[in-house]
């Protein structure tokens, strides 16, 4: 069996290793050398209920926190699978030699993270994503030496090859040096292409995260689920080129968020949410900071900033645990964070939504799988910190195990597919590219992107108003018109990055529309999706996945029920401990039943 | 409005001749070299007012953990994302790394460093990814010693600064040596310690290091490359000696 994996971040590399262990031959296509994938940016850690601190933590408790954090928008069975697999995944990475921070006994250390009350996050200083990625990169290199994997680095995914039966038989990609476009025939394709931060411009994402490959297959008929669920991370350093992340782990290690009120420090998160304090879930923390800066006008010096403070912590201790993050702040903000509180503000960070997949990680196109941030399955309406790395591993593992099962059932080997199927798709992509090379108008593609970024960042992040969303959709349509008048400003037939960017730009427009339309459709507030016009969660009508289907005019949506068979959705509160909420709700229910019985008796 | 002057070495492809082009971009607070290049993309016009092509360069994470945006900035190999304009003298001179094949403008092909990682078996030889329980216990003091080495992002700064990495030599460079040390420090990795030491004995290996000590000075992750190479030197010598002795 032969499989193409697209993307060499955590999910992609994990899938590759599993596939190799199943004796599958893999072509690994990556936009960048895999060791430079965006997974390196993850800082704080990876969750797993290993319970080394004697807190009585368990995978079920992790599962419960994850569902609550996601405001119950995730189908429950796969989330439980992920939480149950988590301790084993952390042990696996430990065996690979990942340099996890240790306890005095030489065991893995765990820190606290948002949306939970226990120490559940394994970490390597504050560069956990980098360390985990390198761990997998090394194992993939070993398989490369064995001859099971062939890497195509600096190749750009263009489209899936879908035959007349609607089955995916490989993909088409472009060599970003020679600009050659060719087909990669295979029995299945696994998309592990990450997030879409560049749609928002300044986000915590890498410069490469345009979402172009996922958008391409969305335009080929793959469903895009919960596109409106965009995570805005509460603590980032705003800058000109990107908003750099300050890990949630800093608060996990004791960092406090505050601003001045009446001339005195005001720890607003601790005041509003006494149970979770600074470690409320990210959507709640970001809304809190917005409220302080925008509604109460209490940002530092009247600006969009609040403090994230570690100055009360022992400098040597926090340096050891957060060196990477503190160095980023020193370099890019030019101040000493152990002496002066860090100035932070929320920034776009993650997409909970993504390609719709079934429990085997397969999209609605047979043979086309997806794992990692580019799919929607594990985080519902808001992701808990340190669950993203976990979902990358778990999605990669499930895909790596399920793809061979799919392959066993295939009637036709990829080598028996008519070459015409591949030639047609290659020709289509070549024509598309030729059209881009010939663009000779006056619009600059990078400026069009900047305009898209402005609208998306202002209108489709923490607070969403119907009018503003409509305005944004109108703007995107205008940009799509102006796209036709782009001047490519580079006619080079060698490493033409501008032409490649122009292709991505169109795909960004298409995805942006799905995000905006999803937000317009969901008339409630849930997790990261907050609409002041509909301030409450509405389980009766909206405990549903929104599934976008691409059409030439606009995204068409259908709704899908959520599988809540394992835990009944509760009210989402971070001001009190969840055991108290459970007790309260149980008592309420008891009273209600009693009343009902009384009524019957009466 | 204050402006930033940049002088950039450009080359359309590996076959053509390089040339210099100058640009002016508006200065913004805390601006870095990447922001300058992004600004040029939006308005690809040089100081002479001529329309030109946007600069081609590598960049991903923009926070000094991926290693992609390494280039020579005012004579020193470093990451463009961490190079703040306010700390640089102008004109800011940008050049591609010289120890790797050029792709275009400031972009080079650093695949040889990844190929070296194959030669030195830079991995822990695990039996498989199925469940086998926790890994070996490691003390926190050992973790603190190896962790900086594992932050090596294969950026190539040490390769650029090392005079012994050049066209005439097969020297794998300081980065590969550090990885040998890293994997030999791990309890499971150490099971292939001899294989790795053998891989850096002979052509392209540790003996090619002439101890210029430049590598450690330019390493953005402050990896103690000099002492690592010293220690490996001792180990390879001992290994060669014992092989000869017990032949």
């Amino acid at each position: 069996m032969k499989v193409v994996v697209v993307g060499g971040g955590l999910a992609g590399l994990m899938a590759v290793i599993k596939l190799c262990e199943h004796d599958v031959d893999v072509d690994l296509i990556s936009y960048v050398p895999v060791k430079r994938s965006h997974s390196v940016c993850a800082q704080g850690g990876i969750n797993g209920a290993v319970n080394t601190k004697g807190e009585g933590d368990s995978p079920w408790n992790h599962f419960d926190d994850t569902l609550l954090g996601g405001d119950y928008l995730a189908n429950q069975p796969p989330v439980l699978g992920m939480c149950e697999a988590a301790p084993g995944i952390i042990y696996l990475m430990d065996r690979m030699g990942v340099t996890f921070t240790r306890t005095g006994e030489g065991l893995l250390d765990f820190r606290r993270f948002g949306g939970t009350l226990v120490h559940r996050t394994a970490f390597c200083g504050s560069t956990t994503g980098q360390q985990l990625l390198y761990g997998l990169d090394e194992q993939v290199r070993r398989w490369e030496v064995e001859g099971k994997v062939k890497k195509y680095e600096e190749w750009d995914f263009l489209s899936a090859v879908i035959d007349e039966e609607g089955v995916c038989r490989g993909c088409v990609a472009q060599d970003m040096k020679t600009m050659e476009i060719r087909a990669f025939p295979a029995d299945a394709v696994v998309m592990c292409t990450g997030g879409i931060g560049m749609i928002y411009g300044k986000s915590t994402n890498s410069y490469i995260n345009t979402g172009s490959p996922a958008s391409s297959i969305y335009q080929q008929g793959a469903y895009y689920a919960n596109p409106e669920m965009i995570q805005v991370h509460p603590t980032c350093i705003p800058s000109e080129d990107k908003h750099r992340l300050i890990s949630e782990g800093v608060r996990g290690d004791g960092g406090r968020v505050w601003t001045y009120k009446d001339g005195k420090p005001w720890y607003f998160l601790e005041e509003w949410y006494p149970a979770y304090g600074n470690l409320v879930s990210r959507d709640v923390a970001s809304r809190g900071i917005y409220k302080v800066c925008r509604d109460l006008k209490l940002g530092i010096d009247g600006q969009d900033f609040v403090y994230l403070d570690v100055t009360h912590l022992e400098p040597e201790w926090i340096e050891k645990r957060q060196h990477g993050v503190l160095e980023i702040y020193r370099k890019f903000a030019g101040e000493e964070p152990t002496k002066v509180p860090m100035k932070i503000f929320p920034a776009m960070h993650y997409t909970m939504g993504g390609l719709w997949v079934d429990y085997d990680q397969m999209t609605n196109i047979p043979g086309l799988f997806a794992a990692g941030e580019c799919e929607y399955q594990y985080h519902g309406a808001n992701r808990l910190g340190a669950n993203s790395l976990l979902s990358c591993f778990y999605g990669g593992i499930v895909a790596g195990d399920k793809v061979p099962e799919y392959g066993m059932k295939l009637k036709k080997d990829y080598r028996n597919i008519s070459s015409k199927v591949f030639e047609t798709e290659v020709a289509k992509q070549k024509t598309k590219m030729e059209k881009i090379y010939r663009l000779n108008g006056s619009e600059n593609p990078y400026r069009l992107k900047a305009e898209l970024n402005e609208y998306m960042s202002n209108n489709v992040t923490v607070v969403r108003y119907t009018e503003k969303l409509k305005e944004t959709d109108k703007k995107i349509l205008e940009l799509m018109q102006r796209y036709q008048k782009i001047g490519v400003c580079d006619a080079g037939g060698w490493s033409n990055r501008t032409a490649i960017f122009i292709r991505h730009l169109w795909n960004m427009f298409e995805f942006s529309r799905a995000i905006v339309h999803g937000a317009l459709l969901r008339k409630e507030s849930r997790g990261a999706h907050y609409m002041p016009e509909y301030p409450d969660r509405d389980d009766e009508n909206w405990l549903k996945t929104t599934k976008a289907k691409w059409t030439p005019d606009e995204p068409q949506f259908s709704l899908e029920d959520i599988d809540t068979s394992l835990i009944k959705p509760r009210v989402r509160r971070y001001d009190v401990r969840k055991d108290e909420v459970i007790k309260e709700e149980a008592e309420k229910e008891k009273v209600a039943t009693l009343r009902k019985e009384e009524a019957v008796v009466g | 409005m204050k402006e930033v002057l940049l002088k950039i070495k450009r080359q359309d492809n590996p076959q053509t001749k390089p040339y210099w082009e100058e640009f002016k971009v508006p200065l913004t607070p805390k601006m870095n070299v990447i922001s300058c290049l992004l600004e040029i993309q939006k308005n690809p016009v040089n100081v002479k007012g001529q329309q030109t092509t946007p600069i081609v360069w590598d960049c991903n994470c923009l926070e000094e953990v991926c290693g992609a945006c390494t280039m020579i900035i005012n004579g020193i190999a470093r990451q463009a994302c961490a190079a703040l304009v306010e700390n640089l003298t102008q004109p800011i001179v940008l050049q591609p790394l010289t120890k790797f094949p050029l792709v275009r403008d400031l972009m080079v092909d650093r695949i040889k460093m990844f190929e070296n990682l194959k030669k030195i078996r830079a991995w822990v030889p695990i039996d498989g990814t199925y469940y086998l329980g926790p890994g070996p216990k490691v003390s926190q003091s050992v973790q603190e010693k190896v962790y900086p080495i594992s932050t090596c992002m294969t950026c190539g700064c040490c390769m650029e600064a090392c005079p012994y990495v050049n066209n005439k030599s097969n020297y794998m460079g300081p980065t590969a040596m550090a990885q040998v040390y890293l994997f030999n420090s791990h309890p499971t990795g150490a099971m292939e310690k001899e294989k790795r030491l053998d891989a850096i004995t002979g052509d392209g290996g540790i003996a090619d290091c002439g101890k210029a000590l430049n590598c450690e000075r330019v390493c953005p992750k402050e990896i103690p490359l000099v002492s690592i190479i010293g220690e490996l030197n001792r180990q390879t010598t001992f290994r060669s000696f014992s092989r000869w002795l017990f032949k």
Side-chain angles (χ1 to χ4, degrees):
Chain A
M1 188 181 184
K2 170 118 177 219
V3 172
V4 175
V5 175
V6 187
L10 283 180
L13 297 184
M14 190 66 236
V16 168
I17 295 168
K18 276 285 172 195
L19 288 167
C20 289
E21 288 183 347
H22 288 296
D23 200 28
V24 171
D25 291 309
V26 181
D27 280 346
L28 173 54
I29 294 176
S30 175
Y31 190 76
V32 293
V34 296
K35 207 178 170 179
R36 308 198 195 284
S37 301
H38 177 63
S39 301
V40 291
C41 286
Q43 298 170 343
I46 175 167
N47 284 336
V50 179
N51 191 33
T52 54
K53 303 277 180 192
E55 296 166 316
D57 196 16
S58 65
W60 184 268
N61 193 32
H62 181 189
F63 169 56
D64 186 79
D65 282 345
T66 302
L67 293 182
L68 177 74
D71 230 346
Y72 299 98
L73 196 63
N75 287 315
Q76 298 185 355
V79 180
L80 180 61
M82 172 177 84
C83 297
E84 284 179 335
I89 288 169
I90 292 173
Y91 285 154
L92 167 64
M93 297 318 291
D94 183 24
R95 283 172 45 227
M96 281 184 198
V98 170
T99 56
F100 285 110
T101 302
R102 302 280 165 168
T103 66
E105 196 181 322
L107 298 170
L108 301 176
D109 200 2
F110 286 78
R111 64 160 53 116
R112 276 196 62 197
F113 242 68
T116 175
L117 294 167
V118 294
H119 294 73
R120 189 187 288 144
T121 307
F123 60 100
C124 315
S126 57
T127 61
T128 315
Q130 185 193 37
Q131 300 308 310
L132 292 173
L133 183 76
Y134 291 179
L136 293 184
D137 173 64
E138 289 145 11
Q139 298 299 322
V140 168
R141 191 163 290 111
R142 194 175 160 204
W143 284 109
E144 214 184 339
V145 172
E146 298 275 324
K148 291 301 289 177
V149 182
K150 190 158 168 40
K151 275 188 196 152
Y152 294 86
E153 292 176 317
E154 293 176 342
W155 279 71
D156 190 19
F157 172 93
L158 305 189
S159 63
V161 174
I162 299 168
D163 69 4
E164 60 283 358
E165 294 166 41
V167 178
C168 173
R169 305 290 185 181
C171 70
V172 174
Q174 180 171 36
D175 183 331
M176 288 159 65
K177 286 193 201 102
T178 65
M179 307 303 278
E180 174 204 358
I181 292 173
R182 63 160 257 209
F184 290 78
D187 295 310
V189 174
V190 188
M191 305 292 290
C192 305
T193 56
I196 59 152
M198 282 306 105
I199 284 179
Y200 286 82
K202 291 181 211 167
S203 75
T204 63
N205 284 194
S206 288
Y207 188 68
I208 50 179
N209 295 12
T210 62
S212 177
S215 176
S216 293
I217 67 161
Y218 158 63
Q219 291 164 67
Q220 287 185 288
Y223 294 133
Y224 193 52
N226 294 334
E228 67 277 15
M229 292 306 173
I230 300 288
Q231 179 163 81
V232 176
H233 194 290
T235 61
C236 306
I237 325 168
S239 313
E240 278 303 308
D241 54 337
K242 90 172 281 192
H243 294 331
R244 293 179 177 85
L245 176 69
I246 296 293
S247 170
E248 192 167 285
V250 171
R251 280 172 287 145
D253 284 348
R256 302 175 75 185
V257 176
W258 61 276
T259 188
Y260 282 107
K261 191 169 113 181
D262 308 326
K264 273 184 276 173
W266 178 35
Y267 298 92
F268 51 94
L269 290 176
E270 295 173 29
E271 188 181 304
W272 290 337
Y273 307 102
Y276 289 75
N278 294 291
L279 288 170
V280 288
S281 70
R282 290 177 175 172
D283 55 333
V284 175
S286 289
R287 274 198 291 279
I289 296 169
Y290 260 61
K291 187 173 167 185
V292 163
C293 295
R294 302 268 167 95
D295 301 347
L296 306 174
K297 310 269 180 225
L298 285 175
I300 304 297
D301 302 328
Q303 289 178 308
D304 271 350
F305 287 119
V306 293
Y307 285 134
L308 171 59
D309 197 349
V310 295
T311 59
H312 58 291
L313 301 171
E314 210 269 302
E316 209 174 291
W317 178 82
I318 192 71
E319 190 67 47
K320 260 187 198 166
R321 293 169 73 94
Q322 298 289 355
H323 177 73
V325 166
L326 299 178
E327 273 295 293
I328 287 175
Y329 192 80
R330 281 183 196 113
K331 270 188 185 138
F332 296 100
E335 285 182 327
E336 178 49 52
T338 57
K339 295 210 170 82
V340 186
M342 294 180 267
K343 280 184 185 168
I344 53 94
F345 195 69
M348 187 273 169
H349 183 56
Y350 187 84
T351 51
M352 277 72 71
L355 295 165
W356 181 91
V357 288
D358 63 14
Y359 293 177
D360 291 348
Q361 304 288 143
M362 189 159 86
T363 68
N364 54 309
I365 298 170
L368 188 54
F369 292 72
E373 189 177 342
C374 73
E375 57 92 333
Y376 89 113
Q377 190 152 237
Y378 298 100
H379 309 295
N382 170 66
R383 174 174 67 75
L384 286 193
N387 263 356
S388 59
L389 297 182
L390 177 62
S391 62
C392 284
F393 279 108
Y394 186 66
I397 288 170
V398 173
D401 285 339
K402 294 295 174 183
V403 166
E405 282 178 24
Y406 163 85
M408 299 283 275
K409 288 182 231 146
L410 272 177
K411 289 189 196 85
K412 269 189 280 184
D413 188 75
Y414 71 97
R415 281 162 294 202
N416 301 325
I417 303 296
S418 152
S419 62
K420 235 175 135 187
V421 172
F422 301 103
E423 284 159 14
T424 313
E425 189 57 38
V426 168
K428 204 165 132 192
Q429 294 303 325
K430 279 187 176 165
T431 313
K432 229 172 163 179
M433 209 57 210
E434 288 302 325
K435 227 170 127 186
I436 291 176
Y437 291 140
R438 283 197 303 271
L439 287 169
N440 65 351
S442 55
E443 293 280 5
N444 175 295
Y446 300 100
R447 269 181 264 168
L448 293 188
K449 171 184 163 283
E451 287 182 38
L452 172 73
N453 295 160
E454 201 194 317
Y455 271 74
M456 292 299 288
S457 295
N458 289 341
N459 302 335
V460 205
T461 49
V462 176
V463 187
R464 291 136 183 226
Y465 297 96
T466 306
E467 272 317 301
K468 292 276 179 195
L469 292 171
K470 283 185 179 159
E471 217 177 275
T472 308
D473 192 47
K474 226 167 103 189
K475 180 70 185 181
I476 300 167
L477 287 173
E478 175 210 308
L479 291 170
M480 286 167 112
Q481 288 287 325
R482 285 163 62 194
Y483 177 95
Q484 313 300 338
K485 292 182 209 124
I486 282 176
V488 70
C489 57
D490 187 346
W494 172 264
S495 191
N496 188 337
R497 295 290 170 133
T498 307
I500 292 167
F501 174 77
I502 292 170
R503 179 171 60 221
H504 285 218
L505 184 63
W506 181 266
N507 292 338
M508 286 157 75
F509 290 149
E510 292 283 7
F511 249 7
S512 303
R513 291 203 81 202
I515 296 168
V516 172
H517 281 245
L520 275 167
L521 183 70
R522 187 177 285 282
K523 292 184 177 47
E524 64 159 352
S525 289
R526 181 188 297 274
H529 176 69
Y530 172 58
M531 291 190 98
E533 294 143 88
Y534 312 98
D536 299 316
R537 190 173 93 191
D538 174 1
D539 283 352
E540 203 160 311
N541 296 304
W542 289 105
L543 189 56
K544 292 183 195 313
T545 301
T546 49
K547 284 166 77 176
K549 182 179 187 298
W550 183 85
T551 74
D553 298 326
E554 60 178 34
Q556 300 269 320
F557 280 89
S558 56
L559 299 177
E560 191 179 270
D561 286 338
I562 308 287
D563 181 342
T564 56
S565 55
L566 299 167
I567 289 180
K568 196 176 153 217
R570 298 191 301 269
V571 53
R572 189 161 176 251
R573 289 177 67 180
Y574 287 107
D575 55 338
V576 289
R577 294 176 61 93
K578 69 176 183 184
D579 41 0
E580 285 170 33
V581 177
I582 294 170
K583 224 165 95 188
E584 250 177 55
E585 288 203 355
E587 240 147 65
K588 261 190 217 159
E589 218 166 281
K590 222 162 100 188
V591 171
T593 343
L594 271 176
R595 289 231 173 102
K596 243 191 235 163
E597 280 170 14
E598 276 169 16
V600 172
V601 175
Chain B
M1 190 169 50
K2 278 194 178 166
E3 287 181 317
V4 187
L5 180 62
L6 298 120
K7 193 175 164 192
I8 301 173
K9 191 175 185 183
R10 308 199 57 179
Q11 191 170 338
D12 295 341
N13 63 57
Q15 285 78 43
T16 55
K17 279 215 172 94
Y19 58 96
W20 291 89
E21 200 161 36
E22 293 187 0
F23 296 89
K24 265 185 190 161
V25 296
L27 177 72
T28 53
K30 297 285 167 208
M31 193 179 204
N32 59 6
V33 167
I34 299 283
S35 307
C36 298
L37 294 170
L38 291 172
E39 208 46 49
I40 296 171
Q41 278 187 336
K42 285 191 225 156
N43 183 27
V45 174
N46 64 24
V47 282
K48 292 180 199 156
Q50 296 158 327
Q51 193 73 35
T52 179
T53 52
I55 316 288
V56 174
W57 84 98
D58 240 342
C59 75
N60 306 348
C61 79
L62 310 189
E63 51 196 53
E64 220 185 36
V65 281
C66 80
C69 67
T70 312
M71 57 183 73
I72 302 176
I73 301 170
N74 285 355
I76 296 164
R78 55 185 298 192
Q79 280 73 54
C81 65
L84 297 187
V85 168
E86 63 189 28
N87 302 331
L88 297 167
T89 51
Q90 293 187 32
I92 298 170
V93 182
L94 306 181
Q95 291 171 263
L97 296 174
T98 62
K99 301 288 173 79
F100 305 95
L102 184 109
V103 177
R104 187 173 170 185
D105 292 343
L106 301 170
M107 186 180 267
V108 295
D109 183 353
R110 284 171 279 183
I111 193 160
K112 81 173 173 198
M113 287 193 289
F114 300 123
E115 290 300 315
N116 288 340
L117 294 178
K118 290 181 186 166
K119 291 184 204 155
I120 60 159
R121 306 176 69 82
W123 52 74
V124 170
I126 59 164
D127 285 352
T129 61
Y130 35 87
Y131 186 78
L132 289 171
K137 277 190 186 179
V138 174
S139 77
Q140 181 54 18
S141 61
V142 169
Q143 192 272 351
E144 279 167 28
K145 206 169 159 200
V146 294
Y147 171 72
I149 310 171
S150 70
T151 62
C152 168
M153 48 193 182
T154 334
C155 67
C157 284
C158 60
M159 304 285 278
E160 186 66 31
C162 174
Y164 308 102
V165 174
N166 57 53
N167 283 340
K168 294 180 195 102
S169 142
N170 291 321
Y171 181 39
M172 287 186 273
T175 168
M177 302 305 139
Q179 295 301 303
V180 169
Y181 185 89
L182 174 66
F183 289 99
N184 284 0
S185 304
H186 186 267
T188 316
M191 293 172 192
E192 293 199 344
K193 192 174 177 177
E194 284 76 20
K195 284 185 186 167
R196 288 192 204 93
L197 289 178
D198 291 347
I200 56 163
T201 307
D203 188 36
I206 194 137
D208 291 0
C209 164
K211 299 180 186 59
L213 313 183
N214 291 354
C215 50
E216 193 171 310
R217 273 200 291 270
V218 295
C219 176
K221 296 294 161 191
E222 295 166 12
I223 300 170
L225 291 162
V226 172
S227 55
I228 286 170
I229 291 173
E231 173 60 24
L232 287 175
N233 238 323
R234 198 186 61 80
Q235 289 180 16
T236 46
T237 311
F238 182 77
R239 164 106 180 118
S240 309
F241 182 69
S242 55
R243 274 175 85 173
W244 170 80
L245 207 64
F246 301 111
K247 205 155 43 177

